[in-house]
Amino acid sequence: MLDRRSLLKLTAAGAIAAAALVPATAGAAEPPKPAKLTMNVYAGPFEANMRKAVIAPFEADTGIKVELVPSAPPLAKLQAQGASPELDILIAGIVENLIAGQQGLIVKLDPDNIPELKDIYDIAKTPDGVAVNFSALGLAYDKRQWPTPPTSWFDLASDKTPGKIVVRQPDAQNTVAWMAIMAKEMNGTWPEKPEDYKKVGELLTKNLKPRLAAITTNTATTRAGFTNAGAGLAVWTDSQVAAFANESKLPLEFVIPKEGGVMIATTAMVTRTPNKYWAEKLIGYMLRPEAQKIFALNGYYAPSNKTVVVPDDVAAKMVYGQAKIDTLLRMPWDKITPINQQISETFYEAVN
């Protein structure tokens, strides 16, 4: 039988052994707080929502100041800065996310530092980024010219399409996306080479060119296509259509074509910053339900957090909920982006 002294020794040894099994990270202290975090941001409503819904509560809770730099994704600048990036967080689209990852400008996110990731739709996650919110790219149409709504991307190049058409200049993820979808439908598989777009170019020359009112460069010129050029059909996002219809009172509606819509995401990434922990915490604030709801109510930005609840009238104007999200295509950007320039050339040769 063990005496009291032996029993105490055994108990102490057991406690030490048990303590050794506790993960080293449990209760670990947070890393030092930087005085400031810096991130780029899209100017306009997105920036205003970001300041109200994310930056203000983050600064109040942590004491860390956040500097917002209104600009397009500065990939070339980040590449030149190497291991000393001026940005802690990069805000960009899906294609820029792919390029930044390939160039080693961003790092993988740590789910332990961003518990909100567990509530994010799968389509909104990448290995090194997460969509803060997103829109669907589809067709905007004027109901006065389209008593029966358009149903297909091929309505952009149909001899039965009424009125004029507005499309965006080829860029990272707009015109090249719907051209890729057309090529897939015409060829049977996703296009991988410039010549895979030949049939699309021929169709655009035949049916889009005679109806093309404008090739737009931004939101303002797309709006002008409807107000000044009398367009009846355009390629646009659901959030932009909802906002413009509300402001202009034009009878505009949005539809996702039967072939599928394209997710236009606003993706948050962490650069090679020494402030990775706090940058990830800031991204977590972007993913909180209360922040995502503000974006939805004040700009029709679809929440990437599946727990967010919005009014029915707002939900109807965005890709909200799993059923609608399932209508979005998983685009093969790894096949599209490398030949982006050649796709653009095919487009311009077809419509000029």
Side-chain angles (χ1 to χ4, degrees):
M1 179 179 294
L2 294 173
D3 59 23
R4 179 179 176 82
R5 178 176 295 179
S6 298
L7 183 61
L8 288 173
K9 287 181 178 179
L10 185 60
T11 302
I16 293 171
L21 297 176
V22 177
T25 56
E30 293 176 335
K33 293 181 180 180
K36 180 182 71 173
L37 292 174
T38 304
M39 59 182 279
N40 70 302
V41 68
Y42 297 115
F46 182 84
E47 179 183 358
N49 283 319
M50 182 66 72
R51 290 187 183 279
K52 175 182 179 181
V54 178
I55 305 306
F58 179 82
E59 289 182 337
D61 292 346
T62 66
I64 300 172
K65 295 298 180 183
V66 179
E67 179 183 357
L68 298 183
V69 181
S71 75
L75 297 188
K77 193 172 184 179
L78 285 174
Q79 191 171 29
Q81 292 168 345
S84 302
E86 67 177 8
L87 296 182
D88 299 288
I89 293 176
L90 173 65
I91 298 293
I94 298 173
V95 173
E96 289 89 355
N97 183 186
L98 175 66
I99 295 171
Q102 291 173 341
Q103 294 179 346
L105 305 179
I106 53 178
V107 298
K108 293 187 182 300
L109 301 180
D110 184 351
D112 290 338
N113 289 344
I114 314 175
E116 295 83 1
L117 283 173
K118 70 181 186 304
D119 295 323
I120 303 303
Y121 291 109
D122 289 340
I123 196 173
K125 301 175 188 177
T126 72
D128 41 26
V130 58
V132 177
N133 44 55
F134 53 89
S135 302
L137 185 71
L139 298 174
Y141 64 97
D142 187 323
K143 292 192 293 183
R144 294 170 298 186
Q145 299 186 41
W146 288 84
T148 301
T151 61
S152 169
W153 287 110
F154 285 92
D155 286 321
L156 293 169
S158 169
D159 58 5
K160 297 180 175 59
T161 293
K164 293 293 185 179
I165 300 171
V166 169
V167 297
R168 186 77 173 258
Q169 68 178 9
D171 55 18
Q173 55 179 355
N174 190 308
T175 294
V176 295
W178 59 260
M179 287 180 65
I181 295 170
M182 282 188 173
K184 175 181 180 291
E185 295 296 318
M186 298 179 82
N187 300 330
T189 58
W190 283 109
E192 299 184 12
K193 306 181 296 297
E195 50 266 34
D196 293 338
Y197 290 82
K198 181 180 179 181
K199 293 179 182 178
V200 175
E202 293 171 349
L203 187 63
L204 299 187
T205 298
K206 180 181 179 182
N207 291 327
L208 174 60
K209 183 177 180 179
R211 295 170 173 80
L212 189 59
I215 299 173
T216 65
T217 57
N218 52 35
T219 297
T221 52
T222 301
R223 289 183 169 201
F226 283 105
T227 56
N228 300 335
L233 186 66
V235 178
W236 220 0
T237 63
D238 53 354
S239 58
Q240 293 286 359
V241 174
F244 183 50
N246 186 53
E247 294 172 20
S248 67
K249 307 306 178 186
L250 289 174
L252 302 181
E253 294 287 347
F254 173 85
V255 64
I256 293 178
K258 63 184 180 182
E259 297 88 2
V262 179
M263 184 175 78
I264 304 296
T266 303
T267 305
M269 297 153 272
V270 176
T271 67
R272 295 165 63 187
T273 172
N275 302 317
K276 180 177 186 289
Y277 176 89
W278 291 106
E280 289 178 330
K281 289 301 180 185
L282 179 53
I283 290 176
Y285 273 67
M286 299 178 198
L287 303 178
R288 288 183 172 185
E290 55 269 34
Q292 300 239 319
K293 187 171 183 177
I294 290 174
F295 273 92
L297 297 179
N298 295 290
Y300 302 104
Y301 296 96
S304 57
N305 188 319
K306 66 183 74 171
T307 69
V308 177
V309 178
V310 299
D312 291 345
D313 61 327
V314 176
K317 297 177 181 178
M318 62 175 66
V319 182
Y320 174 78
Q322 190 65 59
K324 280 190 176 180
I325 287 173
D326 288 342
T327 67
L328 301 180
L329 296 167
R330 292 183 180 272
M331 299 293 294
W333 295 112
D334 58 328
K335 295 181 174 65
I336 298 171
T337 302
I339 58 171
N340 196 310
Q341 182 60 39
Q342 292 95 320
I343 302 172
S344 298
E345 291 170 359
T346 297
F347 171 80
Y348 283 118
E349 289 172 2
V351 300
N352 286 335

